[in-house]
């Protein structure tokens, strides 16, 4: 594994502003979102709105990813994604969600998820996950991907490649009538081939007009994940695989989650809608 030194918190830049004409999610300015009480199966109108939100989120992530290189700060990636979403009439869903201060998550090396963009400078050999969610038309679209920074060691490169493949396999396993634990079963069985850990305490989730609807999508084979998949359901799959343990620590910021053994971790995510025969990815650029 790479001999990079461990990550430490950087300095936060001032909160970025969002034009006043852009609709905010209901949770902005509140300590927590209102509980979602609507259905998990969405109307065609909601699904179409989610295609728009998902496309913007995917393109914002792609724009930010163009800048990934040694010497670039994670805050600069936040700026690019923030400006792209605002320029396209979308609100960055993470900004102000339960107090999160930035417009995307940037999770470097041993950070499993929810890394806060700051003055941290990307180094040659790092890996970095960008997690971008856009809110427009009253709905959210959520996606993430892990990127290589410069020349990355083979162990890390394979972790990233295989984590992407675990998501692809999980998406193919989605079928109406199956229980949602089929998703975690496919991911965990694939990850075990390589001795990877599968993060258990952070999961995929239902998404629609709510950022997180309450539906849980585990990435391991959970006997409790017995919800039956139905056409029109919308949710994320976002496996987090590690080179070591699935256990974690959290930084004092209350957001940044790192592997307990500080080994590297990768993640990929799409927002999906269940069709009559499988799943359609809503977060394609």
């Amino acid at each position: 594994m790479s001999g990079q030194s461990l990550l430490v918190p950087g300095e936060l830049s001032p909160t970025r502003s969002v034009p006043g004409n852009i609709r905010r999610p209901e949770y902005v300015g509140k300590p927590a979102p209102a509980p979602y009480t609507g259905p998990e199966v969405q109307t065609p109108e909601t699904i179409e709105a989610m295609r728009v939100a998902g496309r913007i989120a995917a393109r914002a992530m792609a724009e930010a990813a163009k800048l990934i290189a040694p010497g670039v700060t994670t805050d600069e990636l936040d700026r690019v994604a923030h400006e792209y979403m605002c320029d396209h009439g979308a609100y960055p869903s993470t900004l102000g969600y339960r107090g999160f201060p930035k417009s995307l998550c940037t999770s470097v090396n041993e950070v499993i998820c929810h890394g806060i963009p700051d003055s941290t400078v990307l180094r040659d050999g790092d890996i970095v996950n960008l997690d971008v969610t856009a809110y427009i038309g009253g709905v959210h679209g959520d996606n993430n991907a892990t990127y290589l920074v410069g020349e990355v060691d083979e162990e890390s490169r394979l972790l990233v490649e295989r984590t992407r493949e675990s998501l692809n396999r999980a998406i193919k396993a989605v079928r109406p009538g199956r229980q949602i634990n089929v998703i975690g079963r496919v991911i965990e069985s694939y990850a075990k081939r390589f001795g990877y850990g599968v993060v258990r305490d952070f999961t995929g989730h239902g998404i629609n007009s709510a950022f997180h609807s309450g539906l849980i999508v585990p990435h391991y084979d959970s006997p409790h994940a017995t919800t039956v998949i139905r056409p029109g359901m919308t949710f994320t799959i976002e496996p987090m695989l590690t080179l070591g343990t699935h256990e974690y620590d959290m930084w004092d910021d209350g957001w940044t989650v790192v592997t307990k053994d500080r080994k590297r971790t990768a993640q990929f995510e799409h927002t999906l809608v269940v069709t009559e025969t499988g799943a359609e990815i809503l977060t394609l650029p």
Side-chain angles (χ1 to χ4, degrees):
M1 195 182 84
S2 168
Q4 298 278 46
S5 58
L6 297 178
L7 207 66
V8 296
E11 296 294 321
L12 286 180
S13 64
T15 302
R16 294 190 161 87
S17 62
V18 176
N21 64 316
I22 293 178
R23 178 179 172 185
R24 272 76 170 150
E26 57 81 23
Y27 53 74
V28 174
K30 300 177 182 177
Y36 178 70
T37 57
E40 295 297 345
V41 172
Q42 303 304 311
T43 66
E45 293 75 19
T46 296
I47 293 166
E48 182 54 38
M50 290 182 67
R51 286 192 185 95
V52 174
R55 191 177 305 124
I56 291 172
R59 290 176 178 172
M61 185 172 72
E63 285 301 306
K66 290 177 183 178
L67 271 71
I68 291 174
V72 174
T73 65
T74 55
D75 187 66
E76 182 67 4
L77 304 178
D78 181 79
R79 180 190 66 78
V80 172
H82 177 93
E83 291 180 358
Y84 186 92
M85 285 185 274
C86 291
D87 287 348
H88 291 81
Y91 186 91
S93 299
T94 61
L95 184 62
Y97 179 78
R98 297 184 182 270
F100 192 85
K102 293 295 175 180
S103 298
L104 80 163
C105 301
T106 49
S107 300
V108 180
N109 295 344
E110 69 270 19
V111 179
I112 294 171
C113 57
H114 304 159
I116 300 174
D118 58 18
S119 61
T120 296
V121 176
L122 296 176
R123 303 160 297 180
D124 188 62
D126 283 342
I127 60 175
V128 58
N129 178 274
L130 305 186
D131 192 339
V132 181
T133 310
Y135 177 78
I136 188 172
V139 297
H140 301 267
D142 186 3
N143 68 161
N144 77 54
T146 302
Y147 299 88
L148 310 182
V149 185
E151 294 296 320
V152 175
D153 66 272
E154 181 73 355
E155 186 178 38
S156 298
R157 187 189 66 77
L158 285 172
L159 173 68
V160 171
E161 179 182 300
R162 289 164 176 168
T163 305
R164 181 192 292 111
E165 175 63 14
S166 77
L167 172 60
N168 292 340
R169 288 173 180 237
I171 292 171
K172 290 175 183 175
V174 173
R175 291 284 187 281
R178 291 179 173 175
Q179 292 184 346
I180 216 156
N181 60 7
V182 69
I183 292 167
R185 189 178 311 131
V186 166
I187 292 168
E188 186 172 43
S189 63
Y190 180 71
K192 279 183 173 178
R193 291 193 203 176
F194 313 105
Y196 295 153
V198 181
V199 173
R200 301 166 78 89
D201 291 333
F202 301 89
T203 67
H205 53 89
I207 183 170
N208 37 66
S209 60
F211 195 169
H212 301 85
S213 72
L215 175 69
I216 302 298
V217 183
H219 302 121
Y220 64 99
D221 187 5
S222 169
H224 306 295
T226 56
T227 299
V228 175
I229 298 170
R230 292 176 290 159
M233 291 176 72
T234 49
F235 53 81
T236 72
I237 304 176
E238 44 188 300
M240 292 151 263
L241 305 187
T242 70
L243 289 176
T245 183
H246 68 269
E247 296 181 349
Y248 68 92
D249 294 319
M250 187 175 288
W251 283 4
D252 291 342
D253 61 24
W255 283 105
T256 307
V257 179
V258 296
T259 53
K260 188 169 280 291
D261 57 13
R262 303 303 190 264
K263 291 186 177 180
R264 288 188 168 187
T265 175
Q267 182 183 19
F268 284 83
E269 173 187 23
H270 276 305
T271 295
L272 312 171
V273 59
V274 181
T275 67
E276 296 293 338
T277 57
E280 175 193 344
I281 298 172
L282 297 178
T283 38
L284 291 175

